[in-house]
Amino acid sequence: MSAEVTQRQLVIEGAGCASCVGKIEAALKQTPGVQNAEMNFADRTVLVSGTADSQLLVQAVESVGYNAKPFEDKPDTDVVDEKEAADRTYYKKLMRDTFIALSLGIPLMTYSIVVDEMTVETNVERLLWLAVGLLTLGVMFFSGRHFYIGAWKSFKNHSANMDTLIALGTGTAWFYSMLVVLVPEAVPLMARHVYFEATAMIIGLIDLGLALELKARGKTSEAIKRLIGLQAKTATVIRDNKEVQIAIEQVLFNDVIKVRPGEKVPVDGVVVEGHTSIDESMLTGEPMPVEKSHDDEVVAGTLNKSGMFLFKATRVGKDTALAQIIAMVKRAQNSKPPIGRLADVISAYFVPVVMIISVLSALAWLNFGPEPALAFAIVSATTVLIIACPCALGLATPMSVMVGVGKAAEAGVLIRNGEALQTASKISVMILDKTGTITEGTPKVTDIILANFSDEKTVLQLAASLENGSEHPLAMAIVESAHDQGIELLKTEEFNAITGMGVEGRCEGKALLFGNSKLMASKGVGIGNYSEKAQTLAKDAKTPMYFAVDGQLAAIIAVADPIKPDSVSAIKRLQANDIRVIMLTGDNKETAAAVAKKAAISEFFAEVLPEDKANKVHELQQQREVVGMTGDGINDAPALALADVGFAIGTGTDVAIESADITLMRGSLHGLADAIAVSKATLRNIKQNLFGAFIYNVAGIPFAAGVLYPFFGVLLSPVIAGAAMAFSSLTVVSNANRLRLFKAKDH
């Protein structure tokens, strides 16, 4: 029997830059039983799919020089709390390390600027600087140890990363300074300059940057924390006719659960007793509470507003809609859009290239630079190594994806992966299914035009009583309308369905007929000028039916699938974004034309089969259009799968979530415009981050190498490079967090 495919999450320790990501992912993907591994550098977590156990995965990560810790078989709240506690501990350690390093670095730097150039000329100076050198070694051990350990692990695995650059840069500065102190005669007089302040300041500033980045990074996962916070901790279960309060993890399938006003619904289920209104806004983004009574579904995490009710559990644990949503948002936050994979590829080559440039820079100063050439060579090589650290590059994409996916989830838009997030911003054509997408999806009575009858309520009572025996969707709409108005149905006799025409029967001694004009003609019922009124209704996307009592026309009852209240404004939002909107439907041309006119859609295709929808998607793609397809996720499945981005209209159930790239939980088409707006904002943010990080790295290298020196006599200090590198990461994180303030314009 084959092992079950599962998803396991590991927390990674020791990953310093984007080049680490590729190594960790590659090591995991080469592990037997692993199908896929995606690391989120911003969150320092990796999501692994496959059959391999946690121990094997940890060993794979350790084999390439990093540490890993599994997070599994625990409630999501425990995982988040544990990670937050670990982050808090690490933050305190980084701040302590920063304090130690800067306590030495700042006085030394101040001394070098204000008092002396930190040269070694006398034996007394040698002794003083030897003491300072040993103190700096202490800083390297206590505050910078993690850089050197990381660099050594990378070296053992024949690779290089951010730690390599920092370790080489600070180590070179310290060793050169100690050479000057211990063997000054080995160095020309003009080059007897120590750089202990550079080593201490670089370590202190980079630790400070990492601490501030960690603090800011915590804000990006707020969406997940909010979703997890929706989960109830306990449930009141009815067992052996007694109320028992148990932990949410102990709730079983088919348990009957009691929910009081103000309590959260603990698991998914169906109401078996009581009536209430439930606030589902935290899951769907829909602001209005939803009425719930017998047989209505309730979803975990929603808030009971008014009445007390009992419901039977239908999905528990990780099967609930909320648990699936949390898992999906996590997956999406860990996934990489194509633009992010580009950054990973660049950073994998970036570190070795920087090391080569650093060596070339040193050689250029040694061969062509002024005296003290050796000192200049050391400074330029160190500065190049420090300023080029690509940690900001590694953060650029995942930070924005985490915030963007979380922002969309808050609006009831579930984005399944990074690719969908990126592609949604490029959509040029949006195909909409009609039934259940633009329209409500359930027929309703829209008009009752009385003929030889004066009481509308009696007409509806008789018609609904007659149709109560039918399973036709239109008949069900009439029965539902009577129920909604609290009309009691009567007993009918001699019910008979006449194929292609309608139904007949008797109720309270009256002969009833309900159907189309053919039925009326066959039974000799005159409809007069009411046929014109019926045609007017038909042109308005309604289905008119004639109702006769005792051989006389009593009324025309019209049934229609109404357009959702906000469909028109949502479609206008799409069109305002230069997106071409096309409606596809299996319905007849007259109804399709009427709906398209009401929805302000100029392009529509009627009487199409599911495979025709897929063909239409393919045809548009051949015209180089980026196609979005929106449907209910079942009969539109071929088109949803083929489209560049498939949008499912759903209520957050597992079927809806799994059927498309993006799920609109609200059922409103405004979710489409919101998803596209979030996608565009996220991609714009990623580009800003990548531009800032990459341009900073690339542009900084020539200045660090000393390109300004021949013209202005300026050589960049390694300390300035360290500060700039540390705060470039903070800038990227802060820019990504700006997305949290993003709001899509509703109308």
Side-chain angles (χ1 to χ4, degrees):
M1 187 175 171
S2 60
E4 186 185 353
V5 174
T6 56
Q7 284 199 323
R8 301 181 190 276
Q9 190 175 29
L10 303 176
V11 176
I12 304 297
E13 295 171 359
C17 66
S19 60
C20 305
V21 174
K23 292 168 203 151
I24 292 166
E25 287 181 345
L28 287 167
K29 285 175 183 174
Q30 287 164 14
T31 304
V34 172
Q35 293 179 355
N36 193 32
E38 288 186 321
M39 180 172 171
N40 184 335
F41 176 66
D43 206 28
R44 303 301 196 273
T45 60
V46 60
L47 206 62
V48 186
S49 305
T51 56
D53 62 28
S54 296
Q55 191 177 355
L56 202 60
L57 300 178
V58 169
Q59 287 171 358
V61 174
E62 288 175 346
S63 72
V64 287
Y66 305 93
N67 296 324
K69 189 166 65 175
F71 268 173
E72 59 188 342
D73 300 327
K74 296 178 185 177
D76 285 318
T77 44
D78 291 356
V79 170
V80 169
D81 292 345
E82 201 173 315
K83 186 158 191 328
E84 283 186 344
D87 283 349
R88 278 194 298 272
T89 304
Y90 187 45
Y91 173 76
K92 287 176 184 174
K93 179 187 177 298
L94 285 171
M95 290 305 291
R96 185 202 67 201
D97 292 346
T98 299
F99 177 77
I100 291 170
L102 295 186
S103 293
L104 178 66
I106 290 173
L108 284 177
M109 193 166 151
T110 306
Y111 176 83
S112 72
I113 295 168
V114 177
V115 181
D116 186 68
E117 288 188 357
M118 298 175 71
T119 54
V120 179
E121 293 175 2
T122 67
N123 287 334
V124 174
E125 285 177 338
R126 285 178 67 189
L127 287 171
L128 286 171
W129 287 119
L130 178 61
V132 170
L134 294 174
L135 285 172
T136 307
L137 184 63
V139 165
M140 293 165 76
F141 178 77
F142 287 106
S143 301
R145 183 172 56 216
H146 51 108
F147 298 127
Y148 303 107
I149 291 171
W152 175 246
K153 284 181 177 178
S154 283
F155 176 73
K156 283 200 300 183
N157 286 286
H158 312 293
S159 61
N161 59 14
M162 184 189 89
D163 291 338
T164 309
L165 300 183
I166 296 169
L168 279 173
T170 57
T172 302
W174 185 82
F175 277 112
Y176 174 76
S177 301
M178 288 303 285
L179 178 71
V180 169
V181 171
L182 297 173
V183 196
E185 60 275 8
V187 181
L189 186 65
M190 291 177 68
R192 290 175 191 172
H193 191 293
V194 293
Y195 295 98
F196 294 127
E197 94 289 359
T199 299
M201 285 294 289
I202 287 166
I203 289 171
L205 288 169
I206 293 173
D207 277 342
L208 178 62
L210 290 172
L212 296 175
E213 175 204 309
L214 183 70
K215 195 86 168 169
R217 245 175 33 211
K219 295 177 184 175
T220 59
S221 56
E222 279 187 4
I224 283 285
K225 281 188 272 187
R226 252 198 296 271
L227 284 170
I228 290 170
L230 295 178
Q231 293 176 316
K233 301 282 193 299
T234 59
T236 304
V237 180
I238 311 295
R239 286 183 181 167
D240 300 325
N241 293 321
K242 291 179 183 176
E243 292 182 15
V244 185
Q245 195 160 64
I246 60 173
I248 190 74
E249 294 81 26
Q250 295 173 328
V251 176
L252 304 174
F253 178 71
N254 274 345
D255 267 345
V256 175
I257 300 159
K258 185 176 188 177
V259 184
R260 298 177 181 86
E263 291 182 342
K264 290 175 183 173
V265 177
V267 295
D268 294 359
V270 176
V271 177
V272 293
E273 187 182 310
H275 180 274
T276 189
S277 63
I278 290 185
D279 180 0
E280 297 182 338
S281 60
M282 60 282 289
L283 279 179
T284 64
E286 191 66 62
M288 294 298 291
V290 181
E291 295 294 314
K292 300 285 183 181
S293 57
H294 194 271
D295 281 348
D296 285 337
E297 284 193 6
V298 289
V299 182
T302 54
L303 185 66
N304 184 25
K305 297 288 284 185
S306 53
M308 187 275 291
F309 69 95
L310 300 177
F311 76 96
K312 185 184 285 187
T314 56
R315 283 191 294 264
V316 298
K318 295 198 180 295
D319 292 328
T320 66
L322 179 59
Q324 290 184 46
I325 289 163
I326 291 168
M328 183 178 173
V329 173
K330 279 182 181 174
R331 275 202 309 272
Q333 289 186 335
N334 270 60
S335 66
K336 293 185 184 74
I339 196 170
R341 287 192 281 271
L342 175 67
D344 286 349
V345 171
I346 291 169
S347 59
Y349 294 100
F350 197 67
V351 174
V353 168
V354 166
M355 291 170 70
I356 292 167
I357 292 171
S358 173
V359 171
L360 292 174
S361 167
L363 288 172
W365 279 100
L366 282 171
N367 288 288
F368 308 110
E371 288 300 328
L374 181 60
F376 280 129
I378 296 289
V379 169
S380 69
T382 301
T383 309
V384 166
L385 289 170
I386 300 300
I387 205 164
C389 285
C391 50
L393 189 65
L395 289 167
T397 303
M399 291 298 296
S400 300
V401 169
M402 283 178 74
V403 181
V405 168
K407 198 74 192 166
E410 286 172 23
V413 177
L414 299 180
I415 298 172
R416 198 167 178 184
N417 53 55
E419 195 151 352
L421 179 68
Q422 180 170 334
T423 310
S425 66
K426 303 172 187 172
I427 288 172
S428 57
V429 175
M430 181 65 75
I431 296 175
L432 303 177
D433 177 44
K434 178 181 77 71
T435 307
T437 301
I438 297 173
T439 67
E440 297 278 5
T442 50
K444 293 180 181 175
V445 173
T446 56
D447 302 83
I448 297 178
I449 299 172
L450 296 173
N452 300 307
F453 225 84
S454 58
D455 184 4
E456 189 176 294
K457 196 170 183 180
T458 305
V459 164
L460 187 57
Q461 183 184 41
L462 290 170
S465 299
L466 177 63
E467 288 284 23
N468 199 27
S470 171
E471 292 182 358
H472 194 280
L474 299 181
M476 291 167 74
I478 291 158
V479 173
E480 195 69 36
S481 182
H483 282 317
D484 290 346
Q485 294 184 37
I487 296 172
E488 187 182 346
L489 301 186
L490 306 170
K491 188 179 179 183
T492 56
E493 299 168 339
E494 300 174 27
F495 177 84
N496 180 36
I498 305 165
T499 307
M501 294 189 190
V503 294
E504 62 179 349
R506 297 188 72 81
C507 184
E508 295 200 328
K510 296 181 177 71
L512 307 179
L513 289 171
F514 194 30
N516 56 24
S517 56
K518 289 179 184 176
L519 179 65
M520 297 298 122
S522 69
K523 298 293 182 179
V525 177
I527 56 175
N529 62 353
Y530 281 94
S531 63
E532 293 173 12
K533 292 180 180 178
Q535 286 171 9
T536 303
L537 290 167
K539 285 177 183 174
D540 202 23
K542 297 171 182 176
T543 303
M545 293 173 288
Y546 298 97
F547 181 59
V549 179
D550 290 333
Q552 277 197 313
L553 183 67
I556 296 176
I557 301 177
V559 173
D561 180 6
I563 290 176
K564 292 175 186 175
D566 56 1
S567 284
V568 177
S569 57
I571 287 164
K572 284 180 179 173
R573 276 182 72 192
L574 292 171
Q575 291 166 335
N577 280 318
D578 296 324
I579 294 172
R580 179 178 155 202
V581 179
I582 299 173
M583 184 182 82
L584 296 186
T585 178
D587 217 332
N588 62 66
K589 287 181 182 176
E590 291 75 16
T591 304
V595 170
K597 186 178 179 183
K598 281 185 180 178
I601 297 172
S602 57
E603 214 174 335
F604 68 91
F605 297 89
E607 298 174 8
V608 294
L609 299 170
E611 56 267 30
D612 296 330
K613 292 180 182 181
N615 291 338
K616 190 66 189 173
V617 169
H618 181 67
E619 182 187 318
L620 289 163
Q621 287 171 332
Q622 292 295 304
Q623 297 167 15
R624 298 185 182 278
E625 302 280 8
V626 179
V627 182
M629 170 70 201
T630 309
D632 61 15
I634 299 166
N635 64 336
D636 299 308
L640 282 168
L642 188 62
D644 295 291
V645 184
F647 296 83
I649 299 281
T651 54
T653 59
D654 47 0
V655 175
I657 290 169
E658 293 300 325
S659 65
D661 302 304
I662 297 175
T663 302
L664 312 179
M665 292 183 63
R666 261 197 295 177
S668 164
L669 289 183
H670 275 295
L672 286 179
D674 290 344
I676 291 166
V678 168
S679 169
K680 286 183 174 178
T682 305
L683 203 65
R684 190 162 54 244
N685 196 271
I686 289 171
K687 286 175 180 175
Q688 289 165 356
N689 285 348
L690 284 172
F691 180 82
F694 194 61
I695 290 299
Y696 157 81
N697 284 130
V698 171
I701 289 171
F703 298 115
V707 74
L708 296 178
Y709 191 84
F711 307 103
F712 305 104
V714 175
L715 186 60
L716 206 63
S717 161
V719 175
I720 294 171
M725 189 221 82
F727 286 104
S728 72
S729 297
L730 190 62
T731 304
V732 165
V733 174
S734 303
N735 187 53
N737 271 309
R738 279 194 317 111
L739 264 180
R740 292 167 59 239
L741 307 173
F742 172 78
K743 286 183 181 175
K745 293 176 183 174
D746 281 343
H747 303 294

